[in-house]
Each structure stands twice: as C-alpha cells, then as structure tokens.
C-alpha cells in the first residue's frame, strides 16, 4: 500500500533517523549539564539545531524556542499573550474560519476569558482576502493569526499581503506554519511575522518536536508569558529537559529541506501532474484554488462518491484521508470546506491526497479504477 497522507505525518528521513539515533545512544547528555563533555556536546548540538531552524526562516537563532510541536507552539503564541493583552487593554483578536484546531481551540479559551475573537471567512478558493483583515483591524487588536498553508486543501495563504496590511500596527502577527515550514520558504521570512509555529514530523523529522519563532521588533521580543513552569529552559518560556535527539533531528531536517528545496518542488510537481492527469476522467471538483495550492497536496470531490466509502475501497491500495488527522475521529463535516461555502455532498465526498518529494511510483491508476467502481 502506498502512503499518500503526508499532511498527517511524513516518514522520518533515513539521514535524520541516523542523527537522532546518534544522540539517543552515543551522545546522550543533558544539554543543561555544564560540568562535563556529555552535556557540552548536547548543548552544542541544540545550538546548531537552533541555527538550522533559524536559517530556514532567515531569523536569529536566539529567536527559536523548542517545543513538542506546532500545537504547543500555537498555544504558547496565543495563550501566552493573554496577560499582556489584558494589561494594555487590547483584547481583540483576528483569525480565520479555516484554522487548525490547534489555533481555534486556544482562541475559544481566550473568548471564554473575555477576549473578542473575530474569525474571517475564506474566499471560495480557500484563501483569506487581506482586505477582510484590513476591514477587521482595530486600534485594540492584539493579535492577527493566520495559517501559512491549509492542512486540508493545501491552499497557500497570502502572508506577504496580510503583513503589508498590518504595516506598523501594534498587533502581533502569528502564523501556524505546520504545513509550510521547509516547503514554502520565502513567505515565512517576512520580518513582519512575529510568531511562527512549526512541527518537525511534517518534513521528515520525528514526532514530538517543533519550535516557536519569536521574532524581535528592534530589541523587543513578543510579550509572551510561559504556560508551564519549572526550570527556566528556552528563555523561561518552555521549561523542561530538552529532547536533544529530537531537536537534532529537527535541525538536520530543516537543513535538508532548505538545501534540497528546488529539487523537492520539482519532484513533487511531477507527481501532482501525474495524479491530476489520471483523475481527469472522473471530472473531479478541486476544493481550493489550484493556482494557490502547494505541489504536495490535492483535495477533491468526485460527484457520487462518499469519502468514507472511498477510503474503505482504497484501503489495500493507498493510505489517504478526508481531512485533518487531528479531527478525523469525529466524523464531523470539514469546517474548512464548510467555511468555503461548498454544499454538503461535496464536503462529504472530499478526499485529500498528500505526498512527499521522494515518492515516484504512485498507483494512481488503481486508485482511479476503485473510485470509478464506486461511481458505477
């Protein structure tokens, strides 16, 4: 069976796995231990990883805070601003209806605490119009939070244009980059983005490690407060013994993603063209503007096909999904596609294929054959 669910998670790159094992088995020191060479070696590898992650974002290594993944990073970015917002009297937050639950649920927590959360609807193409952000922006806006690439549709959000709208407004700009870090390079380098959440397991690093970029404005860091306490690691924002092996894996995966970016895009685009060509006889309805979609994701509906039935029919051919892995157990309609204005049948039939740069032989003809049988 071929794995076509990379947006849920990617396999660990063998080169990354070798690096992780080295720091699990051979160089296993605690990066906080300052009295011996084992600790020093671990500390140096963590600092190198900080530099490697920062290089992808054109940031300073000191701005990288290691976490367990994008979900924790998003929570720290959003909930960590609450105290500052109350203190300065800014309790208005702008986000979008198509965000991941790792953003929407922390926003619900703030709404319950009295913050005013405004969620912008997407266009029919699956992206948020920057003018909608402009229209919602207020003097008391504390935070604007938008994802970089939607995890269900693969649609790239117009970060540069949103950053331009924000201009010199005091509002902090937070971006959930779980699906874009190491894949869509330049937009995340925009200096107007203050906070960037990322995960390692989307780019060939292990699960359980990620980072939050806390970009300075001049000499000022984002006014975050920690959500946990005990130890003071990571500039006091994220306590606990650092998982050196996982961090080393994230660092190497970041370096490889940046170094091999052009080659990866070219390979992924070939796969995309093959898949779209094979699907054409089924007259698929693509959910999201294809001109704005990353080259590793396709979300589509075929009239007459229910996604659950399709997944069962393809279970011995290809591992695919019908949406976010984090909400797939709920059997609820996709909030992303519903926000896009699609009818119930199209939402219920939506399938997501997502692949990696290293994939070559995709059994797409077998996939199309099974889908055609369902239509019949």
């Amino acid at each position: 069976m071929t794995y076509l669910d990379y947006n849920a998670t990617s396999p660990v790159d063998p080169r990354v796995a070798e690096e992780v094992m080295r720091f699990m088995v051979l160089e296993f020191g605690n990066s906080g231990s300052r009295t011996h060479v084992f600790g020093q070696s671990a500390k140096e590898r963590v600092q190198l990883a900080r530099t490697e992650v920062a290089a992808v974002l054109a940031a300073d290594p000191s701005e990288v805070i290691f976490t367990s993944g994008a979900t924790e990073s998003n929570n720290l970015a959003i909930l960590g601003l609450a105290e500052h917002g109350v203190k300065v009297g800014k309790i208005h937050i702008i986000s979008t209806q198509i965000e991941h639950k790792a953003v929407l649920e922390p926003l619900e927590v703030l709404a319950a605490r009295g913050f005013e959360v405004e969620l912008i609807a997407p266009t029919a193409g699956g992206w948020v119009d920057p003018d909608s952000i402009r229209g919602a922006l207020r003097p008391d806006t504390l935070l604007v939070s938008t994802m970089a690439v939607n995890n269900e549709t693969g649609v790239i959000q117009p970060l540069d244009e949103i950053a331009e709208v924000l201009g010199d407004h005091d509002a902090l700009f937070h971006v959930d980059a779980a699906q874009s870090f190491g894949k869509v390079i330049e937009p995340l380098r925009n200096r107007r983005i203050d906070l960037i959440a990322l995960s390692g397991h989307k780019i060939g690093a292990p699960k359980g490690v990620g980072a939050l970029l806390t970009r300075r404005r001049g000499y000022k860091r984002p006014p975050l407060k920690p959500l946990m306490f005990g130890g003071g690691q990571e500039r006091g924002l994220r306590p606990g013994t650092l998982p050196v092996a996982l961090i080393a894996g994230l660092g190497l995966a970041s370096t490889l993603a940046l170094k091999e970016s052009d080659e990866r895009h070219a390979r992924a685009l070939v796969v995309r063209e093959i898949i779209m060509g094979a699907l054409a006889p089924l007259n698929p309805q693509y959910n999201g503007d294809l001109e704005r979609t990353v080259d590793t994701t396709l979300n589509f509906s075929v009239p007459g096909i229910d996604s659950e039935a399709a997944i069962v029919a393809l279970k011995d051919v290809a591992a695919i999904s019908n949406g976010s892995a984090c909400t797939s157990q709920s059997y609820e309609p996709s909030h992303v596609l519903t926000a896009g204005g699609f009818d119930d049948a199209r939402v219920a039939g939506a399938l997501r294929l997502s692949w990696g740069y290293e994939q070559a032989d995709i059994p797409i003809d077998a996939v199309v054959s099974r889908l055609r049988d369902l239509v019949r």
Side-chain angles (χ1 to χ4, degrees):
M1 183 172 63
T2 299
Y3 185 74
L4 292 174
D5 199 17
Y6 274 64
N7 282 17
T9 195
S10 65
V12 176
D13 187 306
R15 297 167 292 183
V16 173
E18 183 178 353
E19 181 80 348
V20 171
M21 287 303 296
R22 173 186 162 198
F23 282 90
M24 279 188 170
V25 178
L26 298 178
E27 301 188 44
F28 50 81
N30 186 327
S31 62
S33 299
R34 62 180 181 83
T35 57
H36 50 69
V37 68
F38 290 92
Q40 184 60 34
S41 176
K43 181 179 179 180
E44 290 174 357
R45 187 59 187 94
V46 167
Q47 186 55 32
L48 174 58
R50 217 181 291 279
T51 300
E52 291 172 311
V53 171
V56 179
L57 302 170
D60 189 277
S62 67
E63 297 171 334
V64 175
I65 304 298
F66 288 117
T67 68
S68 63
T71 293
E72 182 186 347
S73 296
N74 285 325
N75 274 262
L76 179 56
I78 295 169
L79 299 178
L81 286 173
E83 182 178 324
H84 172 75
V86 171
K87 181 180 179 180
V88 299
K90 293 190 174 185
I91 58 171
H92 179 240
I93 297 174
I94 301 170
S95 189
T96 84
Q97 296 178 5
I98 59 173
E99 297 303 308
H100 191 277
K101 294 296 185 181
V103 167
L104 293 177
E105 291 188 7
L107 290 177
E108 289 174 1
V109 171
L110 290 189
R113 296 180 185 175
F115 282 78
E116 185 179 345
V117 177
E118 189 169 352
L119 300 180
I120 305 298
T123 65
W127 49 279
V128 174
D129 189 336
D131 283 337
S132 297
I133 303 289
R134 189 193 312 275
L137 202 62
R138 303 184 337 202
D140 65 336
T141 301
L142 170 69
L143 176 71
V144 174
S145 177
T146 66
M147 56 178 27
V149 171
N150 186 266
N151 52 300
E152 293 192 31
T153 63
V155 173
I156 303 169
Q157 302 303 309
L159 297 185
D160 285 336
E161 291 86 346
I162 294 173
E164 185 175 354
V165 165
L166 296 179
D168 57 1
H169 192 287
D170 287 340
L172 290 148
F173 188 14
H174 161 245
V175 171
D176 176 2
Q179 292 293 346
S180 60
F181 176 74
K183 302 174 186 177
V184 181
I185 305 297
E186 288 304 322
L188 295 178
R189 293 180 161 187
N190 192 309
R191 296 293 302 175
R192 183 59 184 81
I193 303 175
D194 302 285
L195 299 158
I196 299 177
L198 60 101
S199 272
H201 73 104
K202 309 292 188 179
I203 58 165
K207 299 172 186 66
V209 66
L212 175 66
L213 184 77
T214 58
R215 192 174 264 136
R216 288 189 294 265
R217 290 192 195 177
Y219 297 103
K220 297 177 64 175
R221 294 181 181 274
L224 296 176
K225 295 294 184 181
L227 306 183
M228 301 183 294
F229 302 88
Q233 292 91 339
E234 296 303 275
R235 296 186 176 274
L237 284 177
R238 205 277 183 170
T241 300
L242 294 178
V244 178
L246 299 183
I247 289 172
L250 173 58
L252 180 55
S254 300
T255 291
L256 294 172
L258 185 59
K259 179 182 179 182
E260 300 173 357
S261 178
D262 290 343
E263 179 184 355
R264 293 185 180 192
H265 281 297
R267 290 182 180 181
L269 189 57
V270 169
V271 173
R272 172 179 154 127
E273 291 173 349
I274 291 172
I275 291 176
M276 291 183 65
L279 288 174
L282 296 176
N283 297 313
Q285 301 168 318
Y286 288 104
N287 302 317
D289 187 342
L290 291 178
E291 296 298 319
R292 293 174 175 264
T293 301
V294 290
D295 47 30
T296 53
T297 304
L298 284 173
N299 188 304
F300 63 94
S301 303
V302 176
I305 293 182
D306 177 79
S307 64
E308 294 291 341
I311 290 171
V312 172
L314 293 169
K315 65 181 181 180
D316 61 336
V317 176
I320 66 173
S321 72
N322 56 356
S324 171
C326 296
T327 57
S328 65
Q329 303 300 316
S330 66
Y331 295 101
E332 295 179 357
S334 163
H335 72 280
V336 172
L337 300 185
T338 300
F342 298 119
D343 60 56
D344 293 345
R346 184 163 173 176
V347 174
L351 295 169
R352 183 185 69 183
L353 306 184
S354 51
W355 53 93
Y357 72 92
E358 74 278 15
Q359 288 182 304
D361 298 324
I362 304 291
I364 190 61
D365 291 335
V367 170
V368 171
S369 177
R370 296 286 178 91
L371 295 179
R372 186 181 292 116
D373 289 341
L374 287 176
V375 174
R376 290 172 183 165

